[in-house]
Amino acid sequence: MTSDVQKTAGTLYIVPTPIGNLEDITLRSLRILKEVDLIAAEDTRHTKRLLNHFSIETPLISYYREKEIERSEEILRRLQEGQNIALVSDAGTPGISDPGAVVVNLLHEHGLTVVPLPGPSALTTALSASGLTSSGFLFVGFLPSKKGQRQKLLSSLSASEYPVVFYESPHRIDSLLGDALEVLGERQCFWARELTKNYEDLQHGTLSSLLAKSLEGRNRGEFVVIIWPGVKEEVQGQTVEELLLWYRDNSELSLKDVSRRLASDLGLSRSQIYQQALSLWKEKD
Protein backbone atom coordinates (compact mmCIF):
# COMPACT_ATOMS: atom_id res chain seq x y z
CA MET A 1 0.00 0.00 0.00
CA THR A 2 1.41 3.37 -1.08
CA SER A 3 1.66 6.05 1.61
CA ASP A 4 0.09 9.49 1.04
CA VAL A 5 3.52 10.96 1.65
CA GLN A 6 5.83 10.13 -1.24
CA LYS A 7 9.47 10.87 -0.40
CA THR A 8 10.42 11.13 -4.05
CA ALA A 9 8.36 14.26 -4.81
CA GLY A 10 7.37 17.31 -2.84
CA THR A 11 3.67 17.59 -2.02
CA LEU A 12 1.76 20.27 -0.16
CA TYR A 13 -1.03 18.89 2.04
CA ILE A 14 -3.90 21.19 3.05
CA VAL A 15 -4.67 19.90 6.54
CA PRO A 16 -7.79 21.09 8.42
CA THR A 17 -7.44 21.31 12.20
CA PRO A 18 -10.17 21.34 14.89
CA ILE A 19 -12.18 24.53 15.31
CA GLY A 20 -12.50 23.79 19.02
CA ASN A 21 -12.79 20.18 20.05
CA LEU A 22 -9.50 18.34 19.49
CA GLU A 23 -11.34 15.05 18.97
CA ASP A 24 -12.53 16.37 15.60
CA ILE A 25 -9.16 15.95 13.91
CA THR A 26 -9.11 13.06 11.44
CA LEU A 27 -6.84 10.03 11.61
CA ARG A 28 -5.48 10.89 8.18
CA SER A 29 -4.66 14.45 9.26
CA LEU A 30 -2.71 13.14 12.25
CA ARG A 31 -0.78 10.74 10.06
CA ILE A 32 0.11 13.42 7.52
CA LEU A 33 1.23 15.82 10.26
CA LYS A 34 3.56 13.11 11.58
CA GLU A 35 4.95 12.05 8.19
CA VAL A 36 5.65 15.37 6.45
CA ASP A 37 9.04 17.07 6.69
CA LEU A 38 7.62 20.42 7.74
CA ILE A 39 4.39 22.08 8.89
CA ALA A 40 3.62 25.64 7.74
CA ALA A 41 1.34 27.13 10.40
CA GLU A 42 -0.63 30.37 10.64
CA ASP A 43 0.52 30.67 14.27
CA THR A 44 3.29 28.30 15.31
CA ARG A 45 2.52 28.76 19.01
CA HIS A 46 -1.10 27.77 18.53
CA THR A 47 -0.24 24.78 16.34
CA LYS A 48 2.48 23.67 18.75
CA ARG A 49 -0.17 23.10 21.41
CA LEU A 50 -2.08 20.86 19.01
CA LEU A 51 1.06 18.92 18.07
CA ASN A 52 2.05 18.48 21.71
CA HIS A 53 -1.38 17.10 22.52
CA PHE A 54 -0.91 14.36 19.92
CA SER A 55 2.84 13.88 20.54
CA ILE A 56 3.82 15.09 17.07
CA GLU A 57 7.37 16.46 16.75
CA THR A 58 7.39 17.67 13.12
CA PRO A 59 9.26 21.02 12.70
CA LEU A 60 7.24 24.20 12.20
CA ILE A 61 7.57 27.42 10.22
CA SER A 62 5.17 30.36 10.35
CA TYR A 63 2.81 31.12 7.48
CA TYR A 64 0.66 34.10 8.42
CA ARG A 65 -1.08 36.76 6.31
CA GLU A 66 1.74 39.33 6.36
CA LYS A 67 4.30 36.68 5.39
CA GLU A 68 2.31 34.86 2.71
CA ILE A 69 4.28 35.93 -0.35
CA GLU A 70 7.67 35.48 1.27
CA ARG A 71 6.81 32.13 2.84
CA SER A 72 5.13 30.89 -0.34
CA GLU A 73 8.42 31.27 -2.21
CA GLU A 74 10.21 29.36 0.53
CA ILE A 75 7.62 26.57 0.50
CA LEU A 76 7.92 26.35 -3.28
CA ARG A 77 11.69 25.97 -3.00
CA ARG A 78 11.44 23.32 -0.29
CA LEU A 79 8.92 21.33 -2.30
CA GLN A 80 11.12 21.51 -5.39
CA GLU A 81 13.92 20.07 -3.25
CA GLY A 82 11.69 17.08 -2.45
CA GLN A 83 10.29 18.00 0.95
CA ASN A 84 6.67 17.29 1.84
CA ILE A 85 4.84 20.05 3.70
CA ALA A 86 1.54 20.35 5.57
CA LEU A 87 -0.25 23.69 5.61
CA VAL A 88 -2.47 24.42 8.62
CA SER A 89 -4.35 27.41 9.98
CA ASP A 90 -5.21 28.09 13.61
CA ALA A 91 -8.58 26.38 13.22
CA GLY A 92 -10.54 24.83 10.38
CA THR A 93 -9.51 24.56 6.74
CA PRO A 94 -6.66 26.76 5.39
CA GLY A 95 -7.59 29.11 2.57
CA ILE A 96 -11.16 29.74 3.81
CA SER A 97 -10.86 33.23 5.33
CA ASP A 98 -7.40 32.10 6.49
CA PRO A 99 -3.97 32.19 4.79
CA GLY A 100 -3.36 29.56 2.14
CA ALA A 101 -4.59 30.72 -1.27
CA VAL A 102 -1.33 32.49 -2.20
CA VAL A 103 0.88 29.42 -1.87
CA VAL A 104 -1.70 27.13 -3.48
CA ASN A 105 -1.92 29.38 -6.54
CA LEU A 106 1.87 29.56 -6.75
CA LEU A 107 2.19 25.78 -6.67
CA HIS A 108 -0.47 25.33 -9.34
CA GLU A 109 1.48 27.77 -11.55
CA HIS A 110 4.59 25.61 -11.14
CA GLY A 111 2.77 22.32 -11.67
CA LEU A 112 3.43 21.01 -8.17
CA THR A 113 1.08 18.69 -6.30
CA VAL A 114 -1.47 20.03 -3.83
CA VAL A 115 -3.49 17.49 -1.83
CA PRO A 116 -6.51 18.78 0.15
CA LEU A 117 -7.72 16.79 3.14
CA PRO A 118 -11.37 16.97 4.26
CA GLY A 119 -12.03 18.02 7.81
CA PRO A 120 -13.35 20.66 10.21
CA SER A 121 -14.80 23.92 8.91
CA ALA A 122 -16.80 26.50 10.86
CA LEU A 123 -18.74 27.30 7.68
CA THR A 124 -20.18 23.84 7.07
CA THR A 125 -20.57 23.12 10.79
CA ALA A 126 -22.75 26.21 11.25
CA LEU A 127 -24.77 25.55 8.11
CA SER A 128 -25.57 22.03 9.25
CA ALA A 129 -27.06 23.39 12.49
CA SER A 130 -28.94 26.33 10.95
CA GLY A 131 -31.92 24.49 9.50
CA LEU A 132 -31.52 26.15 6.12
CA THR A 133 -33.62 24.58 3.39
CA SER A 134 -32.14 26.73 0.61
CA SER A 135 -30.46 24.94 -2.29
CA GLY A 136 -27.43 27.22 -1.98
CA PHE A 137 -25.77 29.95 0.02
CA LEU A 138 -23.36 32.86 -0.48
CA PHE A 139 -20.23 32.83 1.68
CA VAL A 140 -18.63 36.24 2.23
CA GLY A 141 -16.31 35.63 5.17
CA PHE A 142 -15.22 38.65 7.22
CA LEU A 143 -16.73 42.03 6.36
CA PRO A 144 -14.52 45.15 6.12
CA SER A 145 -13.69 46.76 9.46
CA LYS A 146 -14.60 50.28 8.28
CA LYS A 147 -18.29 51.15 8.57
CA GLY A 148 -18.63 52.75 5.13
CA GLN A 149 -17.03 49.82 3.33
CA ARG A 150 -19.02 47.35 5.40
CA GLN A 151 -22.33 49.03 4.59
CA LYS A 152 -21.44 49.27 0.91
CA LEU A 153 -20.77 45.53 0.74
CA LEU A 154 -23.96 44.74 2.65
CA SER A 155 -25.91 46.92 0.23
CA SER A 156 -24.53 44.95 -2.72
CA LEU A 157 -25.89 41.78 -1.08
CA SER A 158 -29.38 43.12 -0.39
CA ALA A 159 -30.98 41.46 -3.41
CA SER A 160 -29.26 38.08 -2.98
CA GLU A 161 -31.66 35.17 -3.44
CA TYR A 162 -29.48 33.04 -1.19
CA PRO A 163 -28.73 33.15 2.53
CA VAL A 164 -25.50 35.05 3.13
CA VAL A 165 -22.87 33.65 5.53
CA PHE A 166 -20.32 35.78 7.38
CA TYR A 167 -17.51 35.21 9.84
CA GLU A 168 -17.14 37.80 12.60
CA SER A 169 -15.07 38.44 15.70
CA PRO A 170 -16.65 39.05 19.11
CA HIS A 171 -15.40 42.66 18.98
CA ARG A 172 -17.31 43.50 15.78
CA ILE A 173 -20.46 41.39 15.99
CA ASP A 174 -22.49 44.42 17.18
CA SER A 175 -21.33 46.40 14.14
CA LEU A 176 -22.19 43.62 11.71
CA LEU A 177 -25.69 43.07 13.07
CA GLY A 178 -26.38 46.79 13.46
CA ASP A 179 -25.27 47.66 9.94
CA ALA A 180 -27.09 44.65 8.47
CA LEU A 181 -30.31 45.78 10.15
CA GLU A 182 -29.85 49.33 8.88
CA VAL A 183 -28.94 48.36 5.31
CA LEU A 184 -30.95 45.18 4.73
CA GLY A 185 -33.93 45.79 6.97
CA GLU A 186 -35.37 43.24 9.39
CA ARG A 187 -34.54 39.68 8.42
CA GLN A 188 -34.29 36.22 9.89
CA CYS A 189 -30.82 35.46 11.19
CA PHE A 190 -28.81 32.70 12.85
CA TRP A 191 -25.53 32.76 14.69
CA ALA A 192 -23.22 29.96 15.74
CA ARG A 193 -20.70 30.97 18.39
CA GLU A 194 -17.90 28.94 20.01
CA LEU A 195 -18.66 25.99 17.74
CA THR A 196 -17.66 22.56 19.17
CA LYS A 197 -16.49 24.17 22.43
CA ASN A 198 -17.92 23.94 25.94
CA TYR A 199 -19.95 27.14 25.61
CA GLU A 200 -21.24 26.54 22.09
CA ASP A 201 -24.13 28.92 21.40
CA LEU A 202 -26.63 28.56 18.55
CA GLN A 203 -29.24 31.30 18.24
CA HIS A 204 -32.12 31.79 15.79
CA GLY A 205 -33.94 35.12 15.62
CA THR A 206 -34.33 38.37 13.74
CA LEU A 207 -31.48 40.78 13.17
CA SER A 208 -32.90 43.11 15.80
CA SER A 209 -33.34 40.37 18.42
CA LEU A 210 -29.82 39.01 17.92
CA LEU A 211 -28.42 42.54 17.98
CA ALA A 212 -30.10 43.01 21.35
CA LYS A 213 -28.48 39.79 22.61
CA SER A 214 -25.05 40.85 21.38
CA LEU A 215 -25.38 44.24 23.07
CA GLU A 216 -25.76 42.46 26.40
CA GLY A 217 -21.98 42.22 26.27
CA ARG A 218 -21.26 38.51 26.70
CA ASN A 219 -19.67 37.96 23.31
CA ARG A 220 -16.75 35.57 23.39
CA GLY A 221 -15.37 33.45 20.61
CA GLU A 222 -15.73 33.66 16.84
CA PHE A 223 -19.15 33.91 15.21
CA VAL A 224 -20.63 32.43 12.05
CA VAL A 225 -23.62 34.59 11.08
CA ILE A 226 -26.22 33.56 8.50
CA ILE A 227 -28.72 36.12 7.22
CA TRP A 228 -31.77 34.92 5.30
CA PRO A 229 -32.83 36.57 2.01
CA GLY A 230 -35.32 39.40 2.20
CA VAL A 231 -38.94 38.93 1.20
CA LYS A 232 -39.35 39.71 -2.47
CA GLU A 233 -41.61 42.65 -3.15
CA GLU A 234 -43.48 43.23 -6.41
CA VAL A 235 -42.22 46.75 -6.89
CA GLN A 236 -44.32 48.86 -9.23
CA GLY A 237 -43.26 51.98 -11.08
CA GLN A 238 -41.28 53.14 -14.09
CA THR A 239 -39.83 56.48 -13.06
CA VAL A 240 -37.77 57.22 -9.96
CA GLU A 241 -40.69 59.16 -8.50
CA GLU A 242 -43.14 56.29 -9.09
CA LEU A 243 -40.73 53.83 -7.50
CA LEU A 244 -40.18 56.09 -4.50
CA LEU A 245 -43.91 56.51 -4.03
CA TRP A 246 -44.42 52.74 -4.15
CA TYR A 247 -41.74 52.15 -1.51
CA ARG A 248 -43.14 54.97 0.62
CA ASP A 249 -46.64 53.50 0.64
CA ASN A 250 -45.96 49.75 0.48
CA SER A 251 -42.62 48.97 2.08
CA GLU A 252 -41.26 48.96 5.62
CA LEU A 253 -37.81 50.03 4.39
CA SER A 254 -36.57 53.34 5.69
CA LEU A 255 -36.08 56.35 3.44
CA LYS A 256 -32.33 55.81 3.69
CA ASP A 257 -32.55 52.13 2.73
CA VAL A 258 -34.87 52.86 -0.18
CA SER A 259 -32.47 55.51 -1.49
CA ARG A 260 -29.55 53.12 -1.20
CA ARG A 261 -31.41 50.31 -2.97
CA LEU A 262 -32.66 52.43 -5.87
CA ALA A 263 -29.27 54.06 -6.33
CA SER A 264 -27.72 50.60 -6.58
CA ASP A 265 -30.44 49.20 -8.88
CA LEU A 266 -30.57 52.19 -11.23
CA GLY A 267 -26.95 53.31 -11.13
CA LEU A 268 -27.89 56.81 -9.96
CA SER A 269 -26.58 59.17 -7.30
CA ARG A 270 -27.76 58.09 -3.85
CA SER A 271 -27.74 61.67 -2.56
CA GLN A 272 -29.93 62.82 -5.47
CA ILE A 273 -32.44 60.03 -4.89
CA TYR A 274 -32.37 60.69 -1.16
CA GLN A 275 -33.28 64.34 -1.65
CA GLN A 276 -36.15 63.41 -3.97
CA ALA A 277 -37.33 60.76 -1.52
CA LEU A 278 -37.10 63.22 1.36
CA SER A 279 -39.43 65.60 -0.47
CA LEU A 280 -41.97 62.84 -1.20
CA TRP A 281 -41.84 61.50 2.37
CA LYS A 282 -42.50 65.05 3.69
CA GLU A 283 -45.53 65.37 1.41
CA LYS A 284 -47.00 62.25 3.01
CA ASP A 285 -46.39 63.59 6.51
Side-chain angles (χ1 to χ4, degrees):
M1 182 175 179
T2 303
S3 168
D4 278 338
V5 178
Q6 298 290 338
K7 295 299 182 182
T8 57
T11 297
L12 179 73
Y13 294 88
I14 310 297
V15 181
T17 55
I19 58 177
N21 193 320
L22 294 182
E23 293 180 358
D24 293 333
I25 197 164
T26 68
L27 295 175
R28 186 182 177 203
S29 293
L30 288 174
R31 179 171 60 80
I32 293 297
L33 291 175
K34 290 177 182 178
E35 292 183 358
V36 292
D37 302 294
L38 187 69
I39 297 171
E42 181 181 7
D43 185 332
T44 55
R45 296 164 300 179
H46 186 95
T47 300
K48 189 64 177 175
R49 291 194 290 270
L50 173 71
L51 300 184
N52 288 341
H53 182 82
F54 291 105
S55 301
I56 297 172
E57 299 180 352
T58 307
L60 288 162
I61 61 168
S62 60
Y63 183 86
Y64 51 92
R65 187 77 66 192
E66 292 76 17
K67 284 266 191 180
E68 273 200 275
I69 296 177
E70 178 184 337
R71 284 301 197 201
S72 295
E73 295 290 345
E74 180 180 349
I75 289 171
L76 170 64
R77 175 180 58 77
R78 287 175 177 268
L79 291 169
Q80 289 173 331
E81 293 172 353
Q83 294 184 36
N84 293 296
I85 300 175
L87 177 67
V88 302
S89 58
D90 288 350
T93 303
I96 302 178
S97 290
D98 279 328
V102 172
V103 68
V104 169
N105 278 319
L106 181 64
L107 300 188
H108 285 320
E109 290 173 5
H110 285 79
L112 296 182
T113 302
V114 176
V115 175
L117 275 62
S121 167
L123 170 63
T124 53
T125 304
L127 284 167
S128 71
S130 69
L132 278 177
T133 57
S134 171
S135 59
F137 61 90
L138 176 61
F139 176 61
V140 176
F142 288 96
L143 282 167
S145 59
K146 294 183 178 178
K147 184 179 181 68
Q149 295 175 353
R150 188 167 55 242
Q151 289 192 338
K152 183 177 181 180
L153 180 54
L154 284 167
S155 180
S156 71
L157 301 170
S158 62
S160 173
E161 298 179 4
Y162 297 102
V164 185
V165 187
F166 305 94
Y167 285 165
E168 194 50 273
S169 71
H171 310 294
R172 294 214 305 260
I173 186 65
D174 295 352
S175 299
L176 184 155
L177 295 173
D179 285 342
L181 181 60
E182 179 181 344
V183 173
L184 304 176
E186 189 70 284
R187 294 192 182 188
Q188 289 300 306
C189 185
F190 171 81
W191 83 33
R193 182 178 64 86
E194 291 279 75
L195 279 167
T196 78
K197 299 177 183 177
N198 290 335
Y199 298 101
E200 180 176 270
D201 179 34
L202 308 178
Q203 297 277 350
H204 268 288
T206 60
L207 281 169
S208 59
S209 68
L210 292 189
L211 175 59
K213 286 182 181 294
S214 73
L215 290 173
E216 292 174 1
R218 294 194 296 270
N219 299 324
R220 294 181 181 177
E222 299 293 320
F223 285 78
V224 181
V225 177
I226 305 174
I227 300 177
W228 268 243
V231 177
K232 285 191 174 181
E233 300 168 307
E234 295 296 329
V235 182
Q236 299 177 11
Q238 298 296 321
T239 67
V240 173
E241 182 174 349
E242 289 173 348
L243 290 168
L244 286 171
L245 287 170
W246 186 92
Y247 276 109
R248 185 194 70 180
D249 298 333
N250 298 279
S251 173
E252 295 183 358
L253 290 176
S254 68
L255 184 154
K256 191 175 182 180
D257 290 339
V258 169
S259 302
R260 183 183 287 109
R261 177 175 294 186
L262 287 181
S264 175
D265 291 345
L266 303 176
L268 299 174
S269 164
R270 188 169 70 182
S271 60
Q272 182 178 349
I273 292 178
Y274 181 84
Q275 291 302 319
Q276 190 172 353
L278 192 60
S279 175
L280 293 171
W281 254 252
K282 284 181 177 178
E283 287 179 12
K284 184 179 180 180
D285 296 338

